[in-house]
Amino acid sequence: MKAVQITGLEEMAVVELEKPEIKSNEVLLKMNYVGFCGSDLSTFLGKNPMVKMPVVPGHEVSAVIEAVGDEVPDVLKPGMLVTVDPYSNCGKCASCRRERANACEHNETLGVQRWGAMREYYAMPWQKIIPAEGLTEKEIALIEPMSVGFHAVNRAEVTDIDVVMVIGCGMIGIGAIVRASLRGATVIATDLDDDKLALAKRMGATYVVNTAKEDLHARLEEITGGLGPDVVIEAVGSPFTQNQAINEVAFTGRVVFIGYAKAGTEFITKLFVQKELDIRGSRNAKPADFRAVIHYMQHHPDYPKEELISAVATPDTAFDAMKQWAAAPAKVFRILVGF
């Protein structure tokens, strides 16, 4: 079977792998589409220290069940459209014992710490299969990245009386905007790109601020009456925006970091204490977050899904698509590879 493999620095190839044989507790998936994630771009550019080359990327999955093992419950049947929970968990670490397997100390995400799903067929334990009936094959590949933003909103404990600022309107930031809006919050979206901000507005943002053109602090003073946002969700992963989150959040506010900074971030920790902040990390997503995204997609069929898909490639054109993304990273939401 065909698979896409990142073979080295800015190198990619189509390789042949053996079609997997399922165990009794596994489901055989035939891939429809697999999305390229920002972590895959980092791997391609040699900036992902968690990856050992070569690697098959891919953890944003849209698939159909091809076959099921003898121990798989009847609720999962051949022909069903599904996505997958791509994170492994050990069941023994502190996170797992607290029922937060998404942050397992020993997690191995598909396409990062272990070979991923960008191939024609993949076998997974049935417990990692999430049905997604009623959605299109392409939008199912958007569930996982959007669920990461949904999870961050859960970590922030957002309510309808909150003003929430989301820094960064990529795919994960869009997920946070959608979820915070669904909870009734007033959402402020910030980015450097007007096209992304226009989409953020259509996805639920109440206000948008282009921080390359506007004074963010002045706009927040105006919007919040000088109080600052109750919640800031940082979905970029740069020292500048991480400090921006701490500086702009309201006193006694909550800050949630999703993005990984490639370098160390230096904070004025006086603000942590002075503002009595809740500062939280947000990693991956839980199955409940996946189900919440699916519910949103099912009940809001008019959301602009086509605009979230920047390109659709084949395994043979995936290399060219990745090079184009690397050349203009700010203009891409998701690239899907169809099988």
Side-chain angles (χ1 to χ4, degrees):
M1 66 174 182
K2 280 186 177 182
V4 175
Q5 188 178 69
I6 300 174
T7 54
L9 179 61
E10 297 187 29
E11 293 294 335
M12 191 177 292
V14 178
V15 298
E16 286 290 328
L17 300 178
E18 287 190 16
K19 182 178 177 179
E21 295 184 6
I22 56 172
K23 301 173 183 176
S24 60
N25 69 330
E26 289 184 333
V27 171
L28 180 65
L29 301 176
K30 184 180 187 301
M31 296 299 146
N32 291 322
Y33 294 94
V34 182
F36 275 128
C37 172
S39 64
D40 299 323
L41 178 61
S42 294
T43 299
F44 180 75
L45 296 174
K47 298 178 180 179
N48 193 339
M50 293 183 288
V51 172
K52 183 183 291 186
M53 295 289 199
V55 66
V56 174
H59 55 259
E60 301 173 358
V61 170
S62 168
V64 61
I65 295 178
E66 178 90 354
V68 298
D70 295 339
E71 297 178 21
V72 175
D74 290 341
V75 69
L76 298 175
K77 301 179 184 298
M80 289 180 65
L81 292 175
V82 300
T83 189
V84 304
D85 177 344
Y87 325 117
S88 72
N89 58 287
C90 68
K92 300 177 181 179
C93 71
S95 299
C96 289
R97 288 169 61 131
R98 294 189 180 102
E99 298 183 351
R100 291 167 64 177
N102 59 292
C104 174
E105 180 181 356
H106 307 291
N107 166 66
E108 294 183 349
T109 299
L110 289 180
V112 184
Q113 295 94 342
R114 55 186 170 136
W115 281 21
M118 200 161 282
R119 58 182 81 188
E120 291 183 83
Y121 294 92
Y122 198 81
M124 290 201 74
W126 69 264
Q127 294 92 339
K128 295 293 184 181
I129 307 300
I130 301 173
E133 298 285 3
L135 304 180
T136 69
E137 293 177 356
K138 289 180 182 176
E139 70 182 323
I140 290 172
L142 304 177
I143 294 170
E144 191 276 342
M146 194 174 285
S147 73
V148 176
F150 271 48
H151 182 66
V153 171
N154 286 340
R155 291 284 293 139
E157 301 182 83
V158 170
T159 72
D160 59 339
I161 63 171
D162 287 321
V163 176
V164 179
M165 179 168 71
V166 178
I167 303 176
C169 296
M171 190 68 202
I172 290 170
I174 288 291
I177 289 164
V178 169
R179 186 58 159 165
S181 175
L182 288 172
R183 291 192 173 187
T186 299
V187 182
I188 305 166
T190 77
D191 202 278
L192 305 174
D193 186 274
D194 284 331
D195 291 337
K196 287 186 174 180
L197 289 169
L199 180 58
K201 190 84 180 228
R202 292 197 293 280
M203 299 294 285
T206 315
Y207 302 95
V208 296
V209 182
N210 186 323
T211 53
K213 301 176 181 179
E214 302 178 72
D215 183 325
L216 177 62
H217 181 73
R219 286 284 284 128
L220 293 177
E221 290 276 297
E222 174 189 339
I223 293 167
T224 67
L227 298 176
D230 304 290
V231 173
V232 178
I233 295 174
E234 199 279 343
V236 174
S238 81
F240 178 80
T241 51
Q242 289 175 335
N243 270 288
Q244 192 176 66
I246 299 296
N247 292 337
E248 299 296 349
V249 73
F251 274 65
T252 67
R254 287 102 71 199
V255 176
V256 174
F257 292 129
I258 312 174
Y260 281 81
K262 301 298 187 293
T265 300
E266 186 173 312
F267 292 106
I268 299 173
T269 55
K270 171 187 174 183
L271 291 178
F272 295 12
V273 177
Q274 189 179 46
K275 290 187 174 184
E276 198 175 48
L277 299 179
D278 290 335
I279 301 174
R280 303 175 183 181
S282 182
R283 184 182 181 191
N284 300 328
K286 292 183 175 182
D289 301 309
F290 282 76
R291 293 193 295 272
V293 173
I294 292 168
H295 184 270
Y296 164 75
M297 291 179 171
Q298 289 171 337
H299 290 81
H300 298 81
D302 295 331
Y303 79 95
K305 59 183 77 70
E306 294 81 7
E307 296 181 51
L308 298 175
I309 300 170
S310 304
V312 178
T314 67
D316 293 323
T317 62
F319 185 27
D320 289 335
M322 183 63 91
K323 287 190 290 186
Q324 291 171 12
W325 189 11
K331 290 296 183 182
V332 171
F333 278 100
R334 274 302 176 269
I335 296 170
L336 305 185
V337 178
F339 287 87

